[in-house]
Amino acid sequence: MVKKAVLAYSGGLDTSICVPLLKEKYDCDEVITVAVDVGQPREDVDKATEKAQDISDLHFTLDVREEFVNDYIFPLIKANGDYEGYVMGTSIARPLIAKKVVEIAEKEGASMLAHGCTGKGNDQLRFEAVFRLTDMEVVAPMRDMNLTREWEIEYAKQHGIPVSVTSSKPWSIDENIWSRSIEGGKLEDPGYIPPEEIYNWTVDPAQAPDAQTIEIGFEAGVPVSLDGKTMEGVTLIEEMNRIAGSHGVGRTDMIEDRVLGLKARENYEHPAATVLLTAHRDLEKLVLTRSELKFKAMVDAEWSELAYLGLVDEPLYEDLNAFIDSTQQRVIGTVTVKLYKGNVYIMARTSPNGLYFEDLVSFDSKVIDQQDAEGFSKYHGFQARLYRRFVVNK
């Protein structure tokens, strides 16, 4: 019987050397590679496809950008997805990639699922949370063999596999339409100042042009237009990445707590995510009640934790989305933002569902009789006054 393995393939060093390793170390007769396009640069997708066709027995490239935006990014925006300040580009994409790999494996009659993740990171968990829903064997050569980057580079050379990573520029880059992550090499030292060369989506904020103002339209909690022009999700995010990136918006350099407990230094670029999440949070404050905002903050945090872990098949994830979707039906309107030197400033917001009424809060209005508040103020802090007066001072 032919032993087939299906490999989640990115075109990078790790996944490229997995192809010969699966044959040499795991006795696979055929290795099928699957590259999933979630918004990587077109040239990267093309290069990955070309390389995979050369080194694997069968290759598939799947364009799932629209599905990624509609089913993963839009729910993230509605949930204000954020993990320790990280907008979760890599983590939110992994379950979708894994599901597509499984679909190909089932179609091709494979008995093994493989990924190129190490044993120190989070991605192994995100892939395998999906992979292990099947009865197929799951393998991770990088983790199983405890490989180092230097060994991988040498092994690739021996097998004639072209790689862009070098000892002098060993950056590990993961990119999709929502974010770009850069790690590895000297960046592993939290005291090292990143060189400008690691950035590709954002200009140096100090070199950014004069301020630009943009109006973002939302329907049911998701962005649908820029400056009044209606756009579908993929196009809108791509355009927002271009505009915000040109102003140096969306750089993050952080110490991140990985699932395994390790602290890691991570660098990210996420121009569109920064702007859209900032605008969405602001619009929610205009539309949702104080109680909703307070409770939703807890729901958003739990949602983000599950998304970061890659546990999108957890029943609680579905439950949380149900609550979030209910609140988002009223999150309709526009938010005007100003982009300047790496920063996003909220300038204005409007909504037909807004709970702000000028005639109620204006100092020049008598719609509300201020004297009515006196009775309320007498009981505000009442128990604290009793405590201070009759317990502390008795």
Side-chain angles (χ1 to χ4, degrees), residues 111-127:
S111 60
M112 180 182 290
L113 295 165
H115 61 76
C117 307
T118 72
K120 294 183 179 181
N122 299 320
D123 281 342
Q124 58 181 327
L125 307 176
R126 297 162 182 155
F127 274 106

Side-chain angles (χ1 to χ4, degrees), residues 2-65:
V2 176
K3 185 176 181 181
K4 295 182 181 181
V6 178
L7 170 68
Y9 187 74
S10 69
L13 174 62
D14 293 339
T15 56
S16 292
I17 68 167
C18 278
V19 175
L21 283 175
L22 286 169
K23 293 188 174 183
E24 294 177 7
K25 304 296 183 181
Y26 296 87
D27 300 321
C28 292
D29 300 302
E30 291 184 17
V31 176
I32 301 169
T33 49
V34 181
V36 182
D37 182 359
V38 285
Q40 304 93 307
R42 174 50 48 190
E43 61 184 39
D44 288 358
V45 174
D46 292 341
K47 287 181 180 178
T49 299
E50 183 179 348
K51 185 187 294 187
Q53 289 173 340
D54 287 339
I55 65 177
S56 66
D57 297 292
L58 180 63
H59 176 73
F60 295 86
T61 294
L62 308 177
D63 183 348
V64 300
R65 289 174 296 169

Side-chain angles (χ1 to χ4, degrees), residues 26 83 99 206 289 314:
Y26 296 87
Y83 176 81
K99 289 176 186 293
T289 67
E314 161 66 43

Side-chain angles (χ1 to χ4, degrees), residues 378-394:
K378 287 181 179 180
Y379 288 95
H380 187 62
F382 187 60
Q383 290 188 351
R385 290 199 298 275
L386 293 176
Y387 167 74
R388 293 294 176 186
R389 183 177 299 175
F390 298 111
V391 177
V392 175
N393 296 325
K394 68 179 179 180

